[in-house]
Amino acid sequence: MFQRTIAALLSSAALITAIPAAAQEILNFGTANPEQHPLVTRILTPWAEAINAEDPSVLQITLQNGPMIVNHANFYDRVQDDVVQIVWGITAFDAGRFPRSLVTTLPFLVQNSEQGAVAACLMHERGMFDGEMADIVPLAFVQFPQASLHFQNHPATSMEDMAGMKVMTGSPVVAGLVQAYGGTPLSINVPEMYQALQRGTAEGLVMNFTAFPGFRLHEVTTDHLIAPLGGALGMVFMMRDRYDALPEAAREILDRHSGCDVARELGVEVDAWEADALGFVRGNGERRFHTLSEEQVAELVARVGAPIEAAYVERTPGGAEVLEAYRQALGDASGE
């Protein structure tokens, strides 16, 4: 009797062992930034860790940091080719692919990153970005705050100081603003900006302060004009066919860490990051700060606001509709 019981237990154990466990999905996430970069430490790693904490037997995300696998220029190709399954990218760095979403880079419109991130998410949910995002699934929207003007050993007290200067910007929208004040816009991605300033290829840049600590831009700038000169939209996303191929349980986990509530949380963190980065720059070396007054901002908007918006509408499919919808989304995001 005892032997038969033992045999039965062993047989049951063998059957249980033979039943295959649910397959764990492991998704490689290319961040395009070094592990110690604030974007990775403050935004992308906490987002991935929250997902990994849900059910490790169902879904795990492995961060692939640094520019060796994914960089700021090839992020779309890498996720499309399944080199990584999740990727981080800034839409302005692939402007030809994401023309409608460049509405998020327009100056003067976005009050802060929280509002901008929610507005971008609402635009996506309302189908305003469908033409360029049909093949991807955005998992998280990250809106960067309004950029300021920075020079190395050159005054930055007014917009007129751009006249005759070579000024870097990652956005075609802001390039028009630079030209309006007599500057020469240079399209250079953030990781190359330090060397461009160091070598004299460029003399200034339009950028928010979040980029300064991670890319050491404080080392090659001395003068700063704080002004609402346009933002930038970053996304964490997958290819739609790769997302659709995931088990339902894995998709449900990702969905719980996507959407406009998550965008708002990330926006709050970016606003805190911008404030911390500004404090960091103020505390590093001798430098000069100026801030545009309300009257100067009003003059700036009156001079270039309408032409910049008109240029966006002209070169963007459905641009007028997108711009109107974006204003509405910004109002909804801020509860107006």
Side-chain angles (χ1 to χ4, degrees), residues 98-118:
F98 298 109
R100 292 166 72 92
S101 67
L102 289 181
V103 70
T104 63
T105 70
L106 290 172
F108 322 130
L109 296 180
V110 179
Q111 299 171 8
N112 52 52
S113 295
E114 177 186 354
Q115 179 205 32
V118 175

Side-chain angles (χ1 to χ4, degrees), residues 64 91 111 130 144 163 200 231 242 252 269 276 280 310 318 335:
Q64 304 288 336
T91 60
Q111 299 171 8
D130 281 358
F144 288 96
R242 189 67 175 84
E252 288 176 350
E269 181 59 28
D276 291 344
F280 170 83

Side-chain angles (χ1 to χ4, degrees), residues 282-295:
R282 286 188 184 278
N284 274 271
E286 283 192 29
R287 53 190 71 246
R288 291 162 291 279
F289 281 88
H290 290 84
T291 301
L292 286 187
S293 67
E294 291 184 5
E295 292 77 11

Side-chain angles (χ1 to χ4, degrees), residues 27-336:
L27 303 179
N28 292 313
F29 178 9
T31 71
N33 288 279
E35 182 178 1
Q36 69 276 14
H37 192 282
L39 175 69
V40 175
T41 60
R42 298 186 69 147
I43 306 295
L44 303 183
T45 295
W47 179 83
E49 287 179 344
I51 291 173
N52 289 343
E54 285 239 358
D55 190 342
S57 69
V58 174
L59 177 65
Q60 285 284 282
I61 293 177
T62 301
L63 269 69
Q64 304 288 336
N65 296 312
M68 295 300 293
I69 298 175
V70 175
N71 61 45
H72 294 281
N74 68 12
F75 62 89
Y76 195 96
D77 293 336
R78 288 295 186 262
V79 73
Q80 187 176 44
D81 295 339
D82 204 39
V83 175
V84 294
Q85 292 73 54
I86 301 176
V87 77
W88 160 263
I90 295 177
T91 60
F93 293 170
D94 199 350
R97 195 184 301 274
F98 298 109
R100 292 166 72 92
S101 67
L102 289 181
V103 70
T104 63
T105 70
L106 290 172
F108 322 130
L109 296 180
V110 179
Q111 299 171 8
N112 52 52
S113 295
E114 177 186 354
Q115 179 205 32
V118 175
C121 180
L122 291 173
M123 291 286 285
H124 169 64
E125 289 188 348
R126 294 168 181 175
M128 297 309 299
F129 295 153
D130 281 358
E132 59 200 49
M133 297 187 184
D135 295 332
I136 67 173
V137 176
L139 301 174
F141 288 98
V142 177
Q143 175 72 38
F144 288 96
Q146 294 283 298
S148 295
L149 175 64
H150 317 273
F151 284 117
Q152 183 181 47
N153 298 319
H154 179 79
T157 59
S158 69
M159 298 297 292
E160 284 73 14
D161 289 327
M162 281 196 285
M165 304 296 286
K166 295 174 289 185
V167 181
M168 296 178 289
T169 172
S171 164
V173 171
V174 181
L177 188 152
V178 173
Q179 288 178 316
Y181 281 89
T184 300
L186 302 178
S187 179
I188 297 177
N189 284 343
V190 181
E192 287 77 47
M193 286 183 172
Y194 184 102
Q195 287 189 340
L197 287 168
Q198 191 178 47
R199 295 173 178 174
T201 306
E203 297 159 306
L205 70 156
V206 175
M207 180 60 60
N208 54 69
F209 285 97
T210 61
F212 274 66
F215 295 102
R216 300 185 296 127
L217 295 173
H218 59 286
E219 296 179 4
V220 286
T221 54
T222 57
D223 294 75
H224 313 272
L225 178 63
I226 298 177
L229 304 183
L233 178 66
M235 291 189 301
V236 178
F237 65 94
M238 297 182 67
M239 299 306 298
R240 182 167 296 280
D241 57 357
R242 189 67 175 84
Y243 170 87
D244 289 341
L246 292 173
E248 182 179 358
R251 293 198 304 271
E252 288 176 350
I253 291 174
L254 287 174
D255 291 348
R256 283 195 291 273
H257 295 272
S258 305
C260 296
D261 287 342
V262 171
R264 186 177 297 280
E265 292 172 5
L266 297 180
V268 169
E269 181 59 28
V270 174
D271 285 327
W273 174 16
E274 173 78 352
D276 291 344
L278 175 56
F280 170 83
V281 174
R282 286 188 184 278
N284 274 271
E286 283 192 29
R287 53 190 71 246
R288 291 162 291 279
F289 281 88
H290 290 84
T291 301
L292 286 187
S293 67
E294 291 184 5
E295 292 77 11
Q296 287 175 310
V297 171
E299 291 173 5
L300 174 61
V301 173
R303 175 171 174 176
V304 301
I308 286 176
E309 290 183 1
Y312 168 82
V313 167
E314 181 179 354
R315 66 171 172 263
T316 305
E321 179 187 11
V322 173
L323 180 56
E324 181 181 357
Y326 187 56
R327 293 187 191 276
Q328 179 63 52
L330 286 170
D332 293 343
S334 56
E336 297 176 358

